[in-house]
Amino acid sequence: MSLGDEPGYPETGHTRTRLPDDPYGGARRGGRSSSRSLVTVVGVVVLLIAAIAFANRGDGNGSSTTTANTGGNGSGNQPTTSSTAASGTKPVQTKSGGIPSGFAHDAQGAQSAAANYAVTLGSTGMYSKVDRHRIVSSLYTSAAASRLQGAMDTAYSTSFLGKLGLDANGNPPKGSTFVSRTVPVGTEVTSSSDSAAVVAVWCNSLSGIAGNSSTTPVTSNWFTVTMTLNWSGGDWKILESRQESGPTPVTGDDTVSGSDAISKAIQEFGGFTYAR
């Protein structure tokens, strides 16, 4: 029997990919249903990215930037392994409305700010209009927040929330747990000055609804968000941001957990405040 004939391991060049069973239904979805789900998810992501890009279009911070040699190896921007290792420095001492604030006025502080902002922007709070407005007002410069609020409200429409299985207020069906978490893997400063910094954050995200009747089970995705930060009012604030998919590693051959285990983990395992 060839590799391509082995059950659960379709031929993909010289690589075999293990296809997990449906975590919530007990059986694997058919190809057509999976394709529709994929199109819906991709469409949702594109919608949000397009809304943010439209609101940010034409932005300019008016400040000069200089390329940051984060590597210290004489090779321009290319970082060394040690440049992205944990420094041990505490990122912040305070929080404002549950959001870390008061980051250091240097490149490392900008990286810590970008990582924590990525977490907040990927949280369940973004699906509630009241919480979203508070988050955007806290993380972005006042001018950027004014431009983004309307675009965000349009992107997080009732129709969009419905596609995710949420009601108009961003709540999941009774007895289910809505999961939306972003986990930064690393950061990189591509340019910095005393008043501005451009920071890329490589992230893994968990999103979906954990529940026995869920049609949008919790999945993981990889993306990189790049933020232009300005030093404003004694802290780093987002002037604009953009997001792209990947880099994405090969999925491991892990056993998929059931909805009860995912719900329990989300409730029991808290998040972190991230430092460079």
Side-chain angles (χ1 to χ4, degrees):
M1 180 173 63
S2 68
L3 294 180
D5 294 331
E6 187 176 348
Y9 290 88
E11 181 75 22
T12 55
H14 298 289
T15 303
R16 294 186 301 173
T17 303
R18 179 71 165 87
L19 298 179
D21 290 339
D22 185 324
Y24 302 149
R28 189 172 301 145
R29 285 192 180 91
R32 181 174 299 178
S33 175
S34 298
S35 297
R36 283 200 300 266
S37 298
L38 178 60
V39 170
T40 299
V41 172
V42 171
V44 163
V45 173
V46 170
L47 172 64
L48 293 180
I49 294 175
I52 295 174
F54 178 79
N56 284 324
R57 188 171 59 186
D59 279 347
N61 57 20
S63 61
S64 61
T65 59
T66 56
T67 300
N69 184 348
T70 57
N73 60 0
S75 58
N77 281 359
Q78 301 304 315
T80 61
T81 302
S82 60
S83 71
T84 54
S87 65
T89 302
K90 291 184 178 181
V92 292
Q93 302 295 328
T94 59
K95 288 189 176 183
S96 177
I99 302 173
S101 60
F103 294 93
H105 190 186
D106 55 25
Q108 180 169 311
Q111 291 179 77
S112 294
N116 284 282
Y117 294 169
V119 171
T120 303
L121 290 172
S123 68
T124 56
M126 289 295 290
Y127 297 81
S128 162
K129 185 174 182 178
V130 173
D131 291 340
R132 181 172 63 252
H133 280 219
R134 175 181 59 84
I135 290 171
V136 173
S137 295
S138 298
L139 302 190
Y140 286 81
T141 63
S142 57
S146 296
R147 289 192 300 272
L148 277 173
Q149 294 290 17
M152 288 282 194
D153 289 343
T154 299
Y156 287 92
S157 64
T158 300
S159 174
F160 163 68
L161 296 176
K163 291 179 180 178
L164 299 181
L166 305 173
D167 64 20
N169 296 315
N171 298 314
K174 186 177 181 179
S176 300
T177 301
F178 176 43
V179 180
S180 183
R181 285 197 184 187
T182 294
V183 183
V185 176
T187 60
E188 178 188 10
V189 175
T190 57
S191 67
S192 68
S193 69
D194 186 59
S195 59
V198 178
V199 183
V201 187
W202 182 28
C203 306
N204 180 230
S205 68
L206 305 176
S207 60
I209 295 179
N212 293 329
S213 60
S214 174
T215 58
T216 55
V218 179
T219 59
S220 63
N221 298 282
W222 292 85
F223 65 92
T224 298
V225 57
T226 301
M227 302 180 188
T228 298
L229 304 173
N230 271 12
W231 184 257
S232 175
D235 209 349
W236 291 107
K237 299 291 183 179
I238 306 173
L239 179 66
E240 61 179 3
S241 62
R242 66 180 186 275
Q243 181 177 314
E244 58 185 15
S245 299
T248 304
V250 175
T251 301
D253 192 21
D254 300 318
T255 301
V256 176
S257 299
S259 61
D260 289 344
I262 295 294
S263 296
K264 183 178 179 181
I266 289 297
Q267 294 165 8
E268 293 183 348
F269 291 88
F272 296 97
T273 298
Y274 289 84
R276 208 280 290 148

